[in-house]
Amino acid sequence: MKQKILDIEALHKHYGKGISVTKALNGITFGVLEGEFLGIMGSSGSGKTTLLNCIATMIKPTAGRILLNGVDIGGFCGKNLAEYRGRKIGYLFQDFELLDNLTGRENILLPMDIHNMEAQEEEKRLQELADYLEITEVLNKFPAQMSGGQKQRVAAARALILKPEIILSDEPTGALDSRNAKSLMEKLSGLNETGKATILMVTHDANAASYCSRILFIRDGAIFHELRKDVQGESRENFYERILAVMAQLGGGSAHVL
């Protein structure tokens, strides 16, 4: 029986006051199981990125609770907050967010250096990830010398280097062409299936979402629909078609999803 690793309880995020208030999140509640690959989908302005940023503690919710392994992250500050951001979660950004003056190796190892990990452990973990993500040849290159796909795989290695309890991914294929997007999603899916990594991914891309085991569709800051993949008997292609059908309902037609 899988354990629940993340609990989102009646989460609200409001901007503005009085009649001009905007409810980006409107009492959203769900859980994430250990080893799950959960996708969050919705049209622009639905609240999906706000949700991810609340979990990452980039913004503070107006009300509700976020619990990681039963611990309310809303009470974190100082050392505990740094530990949560640095070691409990790994964040994969859409636009890579690599430091231009550091090599691929230095970008990946930056979290380990910040948290004073031993050099021997650093090198072992780096090599494991570089081999799996096929980025060995760019470890000594600077971001300007890398392709978009290579940058995103280096960013993925950085997010994974400290073996976080959950990986948060914001539109990871948004800046990639179809070939590199497919390659990245296959790598993330492999980490989930063989490495038992827990992944929470925000995406508008039905193709990327088809790699997930479950998808929550958000509309107006609340859950509109949920899809679960039949992991035993359903192909990714069939799951993709089901995703498209819900997206059409969500946006009033597939041409109006975004």
Side-chain angles (χ1 to χ4, degrees), residues 41 215-219 222-228 242 246 249-250:
M41 301 192 76
I215 300 171
L216 297 178
F217 295 86
I218 297 179
R219 183 168 65 184
I223 294 174
F224 166 76
H225 192 69
E226 177 180 6
L227 277 185
R228 291 178 181 269
R242 288 208 288 142
V246 176
Q249 296 176 14
L250 187 66

Side-chain angles (χ1 to χ4, degrees), residues 22 34 51 59 114-115 184 196 207 217 223 227 258:
T22 298
E34 187 176 17
L51 170 64
I59 58 177
I114 291 172
H115 289 275
L184 176 68
K196 307 305 179 186
N207 195 32
F217 295 86
I223 294 174
L227 277 185
L258 292 176

Side-chain angles (χ1 to χ4, degrees), residues 6 46 75 145 203 212 217:
L6 185 70
S46 62
Q145 300 169 305
T203 185
C212 298
F217 295 86

Side-chain angles (χ1 to χ4, degrees), residues 21-123:
V21 68
T22 298
K23 297 181 178 180
L25 296 176
N26 195 17
I28 193 168
T29 296
F30 66 92
V32 182
L33 297 177
E34 187 176 17
E36 186 173 22
F37 194 166
L38 177 64
I40 304 290
M41 301 192 76
S43 59
S44 295
S46 62
K48 58 188 188 297
T49 298
T50 298
L51 170 64
L52 200 69
N53 287 339
C54 284
I55 297 171
T57 68
M58 292 182 183
I59 58 177
K60 189 176 180 63
T62 304
R65 298 199 305 167
I66 301 169
L67 297 95
L68 184 70
N69 287 319
V71 179
D72 186 354
I73 71 170
F76 289 168
C77 60
K79 183 179 179 180
N80 288 336
L81 183 59
E83 177 79 3
Y84 173 78
R85 289 174 173 172
R87 306 196 63 165
K88 300 296 185 181
I89 63 171
Y91 202 109
L92 183 56
F93 298 89
Q94 176 179 345
D95 296 320
F96 323 130
E97 299 295 341
L98 299 178
L99 297 178
D100 292 334
N101 62 333
L102 299 183
T103 64
R105 173 188 297 273
E106 291 166 340
N107 268 287
I108 294 168
L109 291 179
L110 187 59
M112 298 195 91
D113 293 339
I114 291 172
H115 289 275
N116 300 314
M117 302 295 290
E118 293 183 6
Q120 185 176 1
E121 180 63 23
E122 283 186 359
E123 193 59 35

Side-chain angles (χ1 to χ4, degrees), residues 5 8 57 90 123 131 162 166 170 209 232 258:
I5 188 171
I8 309 299
T57 68
E123 193 59 35
D131 289 344
L162 289 177
I166 186 167
D170 185 13
Q232 300 298 324
L258 292 176

